[in-house]
Amino acid sequence: MKEAAFIRQNIEKWRQAEQLAADTGAASPDELADAYIDVTSDLSFAQTHYRQSRITHYLNALASALHGGIYRYKRERWSRLITFWTREVPDTMWQSRGVLLASFLIFLVSAFIGMVSQLLDADFARFVLGDRYVEMTLENIHRGEPMAVYKSGDSSLMFIAIASNNIYVSFLAFVLGGLTSLGTGWVLFQNGLMLGSFQTFFWQHGVLGPSVLAIWLHGTLEISAIIVAGEAGLALGNSILFPGTYSRLRSLRMGARRGLRIVIGAVPIFVVAAFIESYLTRNVEWSDRVRLGIILLSATFIVYYYICLPYHRNHGTRNTEDSALQDAHLL
């Protein structure tokens, strides 16, 4: 690889590493470790191919700064519980933003396939959701209570069951990423297919409006978190498929660490979604305005936390080390 191409490929990663090196007290141990591994790997490559280049001296200095930051890092404090969700998760989301888009597109295409399949075959929902569930839903629709399923059962038991299942699905989507992303893609496909066919099923029976206000009351958070969990699994799978300049084992470790951070960050969202589904969704007598307000509030949170905050924390940041980069002819 030519030196110029090597620089263009890694320049943004080095800038992020500079930011961590400049303020190691604000960075987590995992962030410092990831950055140090990245930089030392690039340094090794540069020492092999561009031994006398300024880029090699630059990377050596950057690796030394990160190394010092790692060993100066104090014992983790309770504040880590806060900074994990306010800094580490958003920064990891930014690093994996392309994978998030891929996860969203897989889910969206799957939902579209479910919708078309249901339009072409009115019994397709039975194949996806099961005869028993469809028959129960049809009976509820005929009674004039299409969302009665959310009123059945004890709220507390329902909350525990839904939260446990959602967290299980999220970690399953992550772990199956070890099957070179195919397993994660299958989980996303299944969930998207169910959503598309289910919503189309309600439209065919003239109750799309009530179903949207009920399902998306909790589904806005739940479905978004599933897509995020899919991102974690795809990140793990891609680390195996596309190790780049790293060894496959090192790439796998980095992908696993980032993916785990993403999926753990989504756990509170699954819990809140389960709470809404267990305690709030059953209140179909609430006004449409109130329920729509909850849906919009949930959507606003998702967009802010997973898109706006990562962008704000990472966009357009330039470090004081830019002068060193300019000396190395990197800009």
Side-chain angles (χ1 to χ4, degrees):
M1 181 187 297
K2 292 184 178 180
E3 183 178 353
F6 174 68
I7 293 171
R8 284 195 302 271
Q9 178 179 316
N10 296 286
I11 182 68
E12 290 302 323
K13 177 176 63 178
W14 295 338
R15 283 176 174 161
Q16 292 175 9
E18 291 171 6
Q19 295 169 18
L20 295 176
D23 188 11
T24 55
S28 71
D30 286 344
E31 286 177 319
L32 290 172
D34 285 346
Y36 182 70
I37 291 172
D38 286 347
V39 171
T40 52
S41 178
D42 292 338
L43 174 61
S44 177
F45 185 85
Q47 287 174 331
T48 301
H49 296 87
Y50 326 112
R51 182 175 296 274
Q52 301 302 322
S53 173
R54 291 184 180 180
I55 188 59
T56 303
H57 297 299
Y58 163 75
L59 289 174
N60 185 61
L62 182 56
S64 297
L66 289 169
H67 182 272
I70 290 173
Y71 285 94
R72 285 197 306 268
Y73 201 93
K74 298 179 180 180
R75 178 178 295 181
E76 294 184 13
R77 298 165 294 179
W78 283 105
S79 62
R80 173 78 188 281
L81 294 175
I82 298 175
T83 59
F84 175 79
W85 274 279
T86 60
R87 296 181 180 178
E88 295 179 42
V89 173
D91 288 347
T92 304
M93 293 299 299
W94 177 256
Q95 295 167 5
S96 305
R97 58 193 181 279
V99 185
L100 176 62
L101 178 60
S103 180
F104 172 75
L105 291 177
I106 292 172
F107 189 92
L108 185 65
V109 170
S110 303
F112 179 76
I113 292 174
M115 179 188 72
V116 173
S117 299
Q118 180 63 28
L119 289 173
L120 296 177
D121 182 2
D123 289 329
F124 182 75
R126 296 180 181 273
F127 170 73
V128 176
L129 303 169
D131 287 330
R132 181 180 177 183
Y133 188 82
V134 170
E135 289 296 336
M136 178 187 65
T137 304
L138 285 173
E139 183 179 344
N140 291 335
I141 291 174
H142 293 154
R143 292 205 323 262
E145 296 180 309
M147 297 294 106
V149 64
Y150 294 109
K151 294 182 178 181
S152 60
D154 178 80
S155 294
S156 299
L157 295 177
M158 190 176 178
F159 167 72
I160 295 173
I162 293 174
S164 300
N165 180 71
N166 287 346
I167 293 172
Y168 166 76
V169 171
S170 68
F171 277 90
L172 180 66
F174 168 61
V175 172
L176 289 180
L179 301 176
T180 61
S181 299
L182 293 177
T184 300
W186 176 245
V187 172
L188 289 170
F189 178 77
Q190 283 183 309
N191 283 273
L193 199 69
M194 285 191 292
L195 177 66
S197 61
F198 196 42
Q199 289 282 237
T200 306
F201 172 82
F202 280 117
W203 175 78
Q204 290 173 326
H205 290 84
V207 289
L208 178 63
S211 73
V212 167
L213 289 175
I215 294 171
W216 288 94
L217 195 68
H218 60 271
T220 303
L221 294 178
E222 182 177 281
I223 293 170
S224 298
I226 288 175
I227 293 173
V228 169
E231 174 196 7
L234 293 177
L236 175 61
N238 286 353
S239 69
I240 301 173
L241 291 172
F242 312 109
T245 59
Y246 309 115
S247 68
R248 203 170 296 277
L249 180 59
R250 175 173 289 185
S251 178
L252 174 61
R253 288 175 178 172
M254 293 167 57
R257 185 180 294 117
R258 291 175 180 174
L260 187 60
R261 189 179 298 138
I262 291 171
V263 77
I264 290 177
V267 167
I269 296 176
F270 278 119
V271 173
V272 174
F275 176 85
I276 293 175
E277 184 172 0
S278 303
Y279 292 95
L280 305 185
T281 302
R282 62 179 57 219
N283 297 304
V284 294
E285 71 278 2
W286 286 2
S287 70
D288 293 350
R289 183 176 298 180
V290 170
R291 291 189 289 171
L292 184 59
I294 295 175
I295 293 172
L296 292 177
L297 185 63
S298 298
T300 299
F301 168 77
I302 291 296
V303 171
Y304 171 76
Y305 186 69
Y306 284 115
I307 298 177
C308 296
L309 181 59
Y311 178 88
H312 175 72
R313 283 186 52 80
N314 293 273
H315 180 68
T317 54
R318 298 177 66 88
N319 198 269
T320 55
E321 292 288 340
D322 279 350
S323 57
L325 292 172
Q326 290 172 340
D327 290 340
H329 300 289
L330 300 181
L331 300 179

